[in-house]
Amino acid sequence: MTSPARPAAVVVLAAGEGTRMKSDTPKVLHELCGRSLVGHVLAAAGRLEPAHLAVVVGFQRERVAAHVTGLNDRIVPAVQDQQLGTGHAVRCALAELPDLDGPVVVLNGDTPLLTAETLQALVTTHVEAGNAATVLTASVPDPTGLGRIVRDAEGRVRRIVEHRDATPEERTIAEINSGMFAFDAKHLRAMLDRLTTDNDQGQEYLTDVLGLLVEEGHPVAAMVAPDYRETLGCNDRVELAGLRALLRDRLVTAAMRAGATVIDPASVWFDVDVVLGRDVVVHPNVQLRGATVIEDRAEVGPDTTLVDTRVGEGATVVRAHALQAQIGPEASVGPYAYLRPGSVLARKAKVGTYVETKNAQIGEGSKVPHLTYVGDATIGEHSNIGAASVFVNYDGVKKHHTTIGDHCRTGSDNMFVAPVSVGDGAYTAAGSVITEDVPPGAMAVARARQRNIEGWVERRRPGTAAADAAAAARRVAGGEGTVEGSIPPATTDIPGSGQ
C-alpha cells in the first residue's frame, strides 16, 4: 500500500486581528470545544506529518507565537510586520523555511472544522495530478461575499474572482474559494515574487498566484470539499457560536456512533479530547471538558460538569462538578457534589449531597453522604463520615492532613482538626471536635457535658410563644417539677443569650 503523500510544508495564516470579534484576544486564539481556532487547524495539519510547519503571526505576535509553539514545539512562527495580504503572509513564512521541494499547503487559521482526511485528500489529489496548484473549494448554499471559482468549458480552473468584482453571471456560481491551497513549492516561490498590490485593497493576494500559473500554462485544479462546513471560518462571535455548535454536533454524533447513549444531544457539550466508552449514558445538560474520560457503562448527569476527570466503569455522577478528579468503578457522586483537584474515589466509594472534596483519597466502599467538607485527607476502606463534618485542614499558614482508617464510623457534626488521625475501626461521637489521634477501636467523645437550666425561657423570655408553650407543657404534666409561680431563680445564663 502506497504511503500518503507528505507535504514539504504547511503554512497557517494567523496574523490578523479579527476586528469584528471586538476582543482583546486575537481571533485565532478564541476557543471552541477545548481548543483555540488555530489549535484545531494545527491538529488537522499535524496529522499530515509535514516536514515543516509554519504559522504566520502579526497581531499580538508574541502571544500567538507562544500559544502555537506551546501546542507543537516544531512550529516555526513567521512574523508579518504589516498586514499586506495573504500572498505577502506566505512570502513571510517561506522566508523562515529552507528551500522546499514538494507540496506546500496553505491554510487559514480560523477554520476549526477542517479535517485531516480532507487535507490528505487535497495533497494526494495535487500530487497525483502533477498540479502546480490545487485549490480547495466548496459548494455552498449562499456564496454571497465569497470568491467564486471560474472554470472554462472543460471544467478547468481559470481564475478566482472576488464577489465585488464578479459579473452578474459569475455571482450565480455556487463553488467558492475556501482560501486553502496546495502548491508546488518552486512554482509558488516564483509566482509570489510576481505579485503586485495593484488592487483596491493595496495588498498581495495569494489567489492571484493561480491566475499567474494559468497564464504560463501550468496545471491548476480544484478539489471540492466533501462537506462545505469544513471550510467555514468566522469573523465575529455569532459565527464563532455557529462553528461551536457544528463541532459539538460532530463530536456528539461520533460518540453515539461509537456506542454511547446521549439522551439530548442538543443540550450537551463535549471537548475534542473527551473519550467515552461503550454503553455510557449521558443525560441532558452535561459538559465534558478537557481530557475527561468516561469509562464503559458509567452514567453522567443530568446537570453535570466534568473537567479533566476520569469516571470509572459503572460509576454514576449526578448534578455534580468535578475538576481533575478520579471517580472509581461503581462509585457514586452527587447530587450537588463538588470534587476539586486531587479528589480520588476508589471502587464503590460515595460522595453525596452537598459534599466538597479537595486533595482527598476516599477508599473502597467508603461513604461521605452529605453536608461535609473533606480537604487534604485520606479515608480508608468501608468507613462512613457523618453528616455536617468538616476536615479542618488550614491553620491560616499551612495545610495539614487528616487520616481516617478502615471501617471507621464518625459522628455527625464532627470537626477533624488536622493533623490528626482516627485509627481503624474507631468511632467518634456526634458533635465532637477531634484534636487528638484516636486509637484503633476507640470511641472518641470531644464535647462539653450537657446542662439543662430549668425555667430559663419563662424567666428570660416571658410573654413569648415559647414561654407560653413551656408553661402549658408543665400544666399538662400534672404539676410535675416546678409549677407556675414557682420557677427557681437562675444561677447561670447560657453564653450568647444577649443578657
Side-chain angles (χ1 to χ4, degrees):
M1 183 175 178
T2 305
S3 298
R6 291 180 57 196
V10 173
V11 175
V12 178
L13 307 183
E17 177 181 355
T19 54
R20 280 182 279 177
M21 299 296 285
K22 292 182 171 58
S23 174
D24 294 332
T25 298
K27 179 173 74 170
V28 296
L29 297 191
H30 282 264
E31 292 190 359
L32 64 164
C33 300
R35 283 184 189 150
S36 63
L37 285 166
V38 71
H40 286 284
V41 177
L42 291 171
R47 289 181 55 189
L48 301 182
E49 299 182 349
H52 302 279
L53 183 53
V55 176
V56 181
V57 298
F59 179 71
Q60 293 193 27
R61 66 188 67 169
E62 295 86 0
R63 184 176 176 184
V64 177
H67 175 75
V68 298
T69 54
L71 298 174
N72 184 342
D73 59 10
R74 292 183 53 245
I75 289 174
V76 176
V79 175
Q80 186 184 25
D81 284 317
Q82 295 178 285
Q83 311 299 294
L84 299 178
T86 51
H88 177 258
V90 174
R91 283 205 293 119
C92 292
L94 295 183
E96 299 296 329
L97 300 176
D99 287 339
L100 302 172
D101 184 17
V104 174
V105 177
V106 179
L107 305 175
N108 295 322
D110 66 344
T111 53
L113 301 181
L114 186 66
T115 65
E117 291 74 17
T118 294
L119 284 182
Q120 187 62 69
L122 175 65
V123 175
T124 299
T125 298
H126 174 78
V127 171
E128 290 181 351
N131 293 330
T134 307
V135 55
L136 181 66
T137 69
S139 181
V140 300
D142 181 9
T144 302
L146 302 173
R148 308 304 206 279
I149 302 297
V150 179
R151 297 176 182 260
D152 61 19
E154 285 73 39
R156 294 172 297 191
V157 175
R158 308 312 296 167
R159 63 192 178 94
I160 298 173
V161 59
E162 297 302 321
H163 178 89
R164 62 180 175 275
D165 299 323
T167 66
E169 182 180 2
E170 289 170 337
R171 290 185 179 185
T172 65
I173 297 172
E175 185 182 12
I176 58 93
N177 168 35
S178 72
M180 293 176 276
F181 307 86
F183 293 101
D184 174 79
K186 292 186 172 11
H187 287 308
L188 176 61
R189 282 190 186 273
M191 294 303 110
L192 286 174
D193 289 339
R194 293 176 52 185
L195 291 180
T196 70
T197 58
D198 187 18
N199 51 63
D200 61 353
Q201 298 294 313
Q203 295 186 344
E204 299 176 19
Y205 291 138
L206 185 62
T207 51
D208 289 345
V209 168
L210 272 69
L212 294 171
L213 289 169
V214 169
E215 286 178 7
E216 293 198 355
H218 297 297
V220 173
M223 189 196 91
V224 181
D227 184 342
Y228 78 91
R229 292 172 294 187
E230 287 192 45
T231 68
L232 295 176
C234 72
N235 293 304
D236 58 29
R237 298 184 196 240
V238 174
E239 292 178 352
L240 178 63
L243 294 179
R244 186 178 288 114
L246 288 171
L247 184 53
R248 184 271 312 278
D249 292 346
R250 177 192 290 178
L251 295 170
V252 173
T253 297
M256 292 190 291
R257 294 195 189 283
T261 293
V262 180
I263 303 298
D264 181 18
S267 72
V268 304
W269 290 90
F270 298 165
D271 279 356
V272 291
D273 291 325
V274 167
V275 177
L276 275 68
R278 292 169 62 92
D279 295 314
V280 164
V281 177
V282 180
H283 290 277
N285 300 318
V286 168
Q287 295 188 48
L288 304 179
R289 297 168 51 194
T292 292
V293 176
I294 312 296
E295 297 183 6
D296 296 351
R297 298 179 298 283
E299 192 164 350
V300 179
D303 309 322
T304 295
T305 298
L306 306 180
V307 184
D308 295 326
T309 291
R310 177 176 287 271
V311 179
E313 292 186 18
T316 59
V317 185
V318 180
R319 288 189 171 89
H321 190 110
L323 172 63
Q324 297 174 18
Q326 296 183 44
I327 300 167
E330 301 176 72
S332 171
V333 176
Y336 310 114
Y338 180 22
L339 307 186
R340 292 167 58 191
S343 296
V344 179
L345 280 62
R347 179 180 295 274
K348 294 186 177 180
K350 175 182 177 64
V351 167
T353 308
Y354 299 114
V355 173
E356 178 179 346
T357 65
K358 188 270 296 180
N359 192 27
Q361 289 73 50
I362 300 172
E364 181 171 346
S366 287
K367 299 178 180 180
V368 188
H370 26 232
L371 301 165
T372 293
Y373 171 69
V374 181
D376 296 289
T378 300
I379 299 173
E381 298 180 355
H382 305 290
S383 289
N384 188 87
I385 307 301
S389 294
V390 176
F391 287 60
V392 186
N393 58 334
Y394 185 46
D395 66 6
V397 177
K398 295 181 179 179
K399 298 292 182 70
H400 301 279
H401 200 80
T402 295
T403 300
I404 308 292
D406 299 338
H407 299 280
C408 292
R409 297 292 182 268
T410 70
S412 296
D413 194 25
N414 275 191
M415 303 285 149
F416 299 97
V417 183
V420 71
S421 64
V422 177
D424 293 348
Y427 279 53
T428 61
S432 292
V433 179
I434 305 300
T435 60
E436 299 178 2
D437 292 350
V438 181
M443 161 65 86
V445 182
R447 63 191 182 201
R449 187 174 183 85
Q450 179 174 321
R451 292 183 300 127
N452 298 330
I453 304 170
E454 293 289 338
W456 186 93
V457 173
E458 290 169 87
R459 185 178 61 257
R460 294 296 190 182
R461 300 291 187 268
T464 65
D468 293 343
R474 285 188 296 102
R475 287 195 297 270
V476 170
E480 296 179 7
T482 57
V483 295
E484 187 173 0
S486 60
I487 299 172
T491 56
T492 308
D493 274 320
I494 62 170
S497 67
Q499 301 301 315

